[in-house]
């Protein structure tokens, strides 16, 4: 069980809020890092047991620096995912009418996600870019700016007064975080798991990506996410990040991984871990004839043929 956790800092950000939903991290040692590479390097070097970093946002998409870090350097493994609803608030040092607000500190991504609310409610305020949601809260607390767009965790930490809650233009926005450790045996299957992979295809082979998807489809494995990133080696070469329903210990997914190993230039296993659901939801069922029971039955049938029984 990890006891030393690194995370994308500084303190008072959504990443810290997500980390503190993990009981072991709430009770353990939490160290903010200045960047995603720094947080992951703490794990690789042994300075931390695990690191929590943002993986994707439902509005802004994937976090490129995290994906790039997962395919460079020594391997790391995702052991847990955390989904956190993104709720922005407008905070200030003291209560004030919105009409009196003339300057607002905000991280560029935060102000982008609150753009319509800002135009409708504080059209005359100047929005000033800062390095993080935590920095925005601090600058409002010191009086450098009249108000700040920040995470709810930054309000109490900096003694701010909330002027407006849930100001994001999309109330359903969610950020997905990944908890990464050094490689080790994955936790046992739960029946509702995700397996993440990074695969490099042979770019000079016709239908290479179709072959990858076929290895999954013919085994009834649901592909919940696919994302491409350039390798940086030459134009036109990419790594594909895949999230698949299932666990590496399950026969269907195990067979698919063997197939990918045969046809891909490289396959990096990024982990099998429990699916985090904000609302109760049944896992996607395999099509008829492609369930785990069907695979077990067909394997037993083949064994009977081979043994002559």
């Amino acid at each position: 069980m990890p006891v030393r956790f690194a995370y994308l800092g500084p303190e008072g950000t959504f990443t810290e809020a997500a980390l503190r939903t993990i009981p072991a991290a709430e009770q353990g040692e939490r160290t903010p890092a200045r960047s995603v590479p720094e947080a992951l390097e703490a794990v690789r070097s042994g300075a931390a047991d695990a690191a929590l970093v943002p993986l994707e946002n439902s509005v802004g998409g994937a976090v490129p620096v995290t994906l790039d870090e997962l395919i460079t350097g020594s391997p790391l493994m995702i052991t847990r995912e955390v989904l956190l609803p993104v709720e922005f608030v407008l905070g200030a040092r003291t209560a004030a009418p919105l009409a009196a607000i003339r300057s607002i500190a905000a991280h560029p991504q935060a102000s982008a996600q609150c753009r319509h609310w800002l135009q409708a409610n504080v059209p005359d305020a100047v929005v000033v870019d800062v390095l993080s949601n935590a920095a925005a809260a601090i600058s409002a607390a010191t009086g450098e700016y009249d108000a700040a767009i920040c995470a709810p965790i930054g309000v109490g930490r900096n003694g701010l007064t909330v002027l407006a809650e849930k100001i994001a233009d999309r109330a359903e926005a969610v950020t997905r975080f990944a908890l990464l450790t050094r490689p080790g045996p994955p936790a046992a299957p739960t029946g509702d798991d995700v397996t993440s992979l990074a695969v490099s295809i042979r770019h000079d082979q016709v239908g290479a990506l179709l072959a990858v998807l076929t290895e999954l489809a013919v085994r009834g494995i649901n592909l919940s996410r696919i994302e491409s990133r350039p390798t940086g080696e030459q134009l036109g070469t990419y790594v594909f990040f895949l999230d698949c329903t299932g666990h590496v210990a399950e026969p269907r997914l195990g067979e698919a991984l063997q197939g990918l190993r045969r046809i891909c230039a490289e396959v990096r296993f990024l982990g099998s871990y429990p699916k985090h659901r904000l609302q109760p939801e049944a896992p996607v069922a395999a099509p008829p004839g492609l369930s785990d029971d069907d695979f077990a039955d067909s394997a037993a049938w083949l064994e009977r043929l081979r043994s002559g029984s």
Side-chain angles (χ1 to χ4, degrees):
M1 180 69 68
V3 295
R4 299 171 302 158
F5 295 84
Y7 67 94
L8 176 61
E11 295 179 348
T13 60
F14 286 109
T15 309
E16 185 192 4
L19 181 63
R20 299 190 71 159
T21 66
I22 302 173
E26 178 67 14
Q27 299 171 7
E29 176 186 320
R30 301 180 300 276
T31 303
R34 291 171 295 182
S35 65
V36 168
E38 183 178 289
L40 299 185
E41 181 56 32
V43 178
R44 290 184 168 118
S45 68
D49 301 317
L52 190 79
V53 293
L55 192 59
E56 62 174 321
N57 178 268
S58 60
V59 176
V63 180
V65 65
T66 299
L67 297 185
D68 292 343
E69 279 294 308
L70 291 178
I71 57 173
T72 58
S74 57
L76 294 172
M77 190 173 78
I78 302 173
T79 59
R80 184 173 187 150
E81 68 174 2
V82 177
L83 302 186
L84 187 74
V86 178
E87 295 183 1
F88 289 107
V89 301
L90 186 70
R93 186 160 57 171
T94 58
L98 294 181
I101 302 300
R102 291 291 178 265
S103 61
I104 299 174
H107 185 276
Q109 289 184 354
S111 58
Q113 293 189 45
C114 302
R115 180 169 57 90
H116 295 300
W117 186 93
L118 291 170
Q119 291 176 346
N121 294 276
V122 283
D124 297 327
V126 175
V127 179
V128 182
D129 290 347
V130 294
L131 293 177
S132 67
N133 294 311
I138 292 171
S139 64
T142 60
E144 184 177 0
Y145 300 106
D146 295 338
I149 297 174
C150 60
I153 191 175
V155 172
R157 182 158 293 174
N158 294 282
L160 298 179
T161 297
V162 175
L163 303 184
E165 295 182 300
K166 298 182 178 181
I167 64 173
D169 296 331
R170 297 190 180 184
E172 71 281 3
V174 173
T175 296
R176 179 187 178 206
F177 299 86
L179 185 70
L180 291 121
T181 67
R182 291 179 292 280
T190 66
D192 190 12
D193 300 292
V194 178
T195 292
S196 293
L197 309 167
V199 302
S200 299
I201 64 174
R202 296 181 173 89
H203 68 279
D204 56 350
Q205 178 181 327
V206 175
L209 180 56
L210 177 59
V212 168
L213 301 180
T214 299
E215 290 291 337
L216 303 174
V218 297
R219 294 175 176 88
I221 296 171
N222 182 48
L223 183 63
S224 57
R225 173 174 167 266
I226 181 170
E227 187 89 23
S228 65
R229 288 291 296 161
T231 63
E233 297 172 357
Q234 65 183 48
L235 192 65
T237 59
Y238 296 88
V239 174
F240 291 88
F241 291 86
L242 312 177
D243 282 346
C244 311
T245 298
H247 193 282
V248 66
E250 297 167 348
R252 287 189 299 136
L253 192 53
E255 283 191 15
L257 289 178
Q258 292 180 54
L260 294 177
R261 169 73 174 178
R262 291 193 300 268
I263 67 173
C264 293
E266 182 182 0
V267 178
R268 180 171 283 203
F269 174 71
L270 299 178
S272 290
Y273 47 92
K275 176 72 176 175
H276 183 187
R277 298 187 185 277
L278 293 176
Q279 301 292 337
E281 184 180 348
V284 176
L290 295 175
S291 69
D292 288 326
D293 289 341
D294 293 324
F295 268 73
D297 178 70
S298 62
W301 172 78
L302 179 59
E303 186 57 35
R304 290 195 299 272
L305 292 180
R306 287 171 170 171
S307 65
S309 61

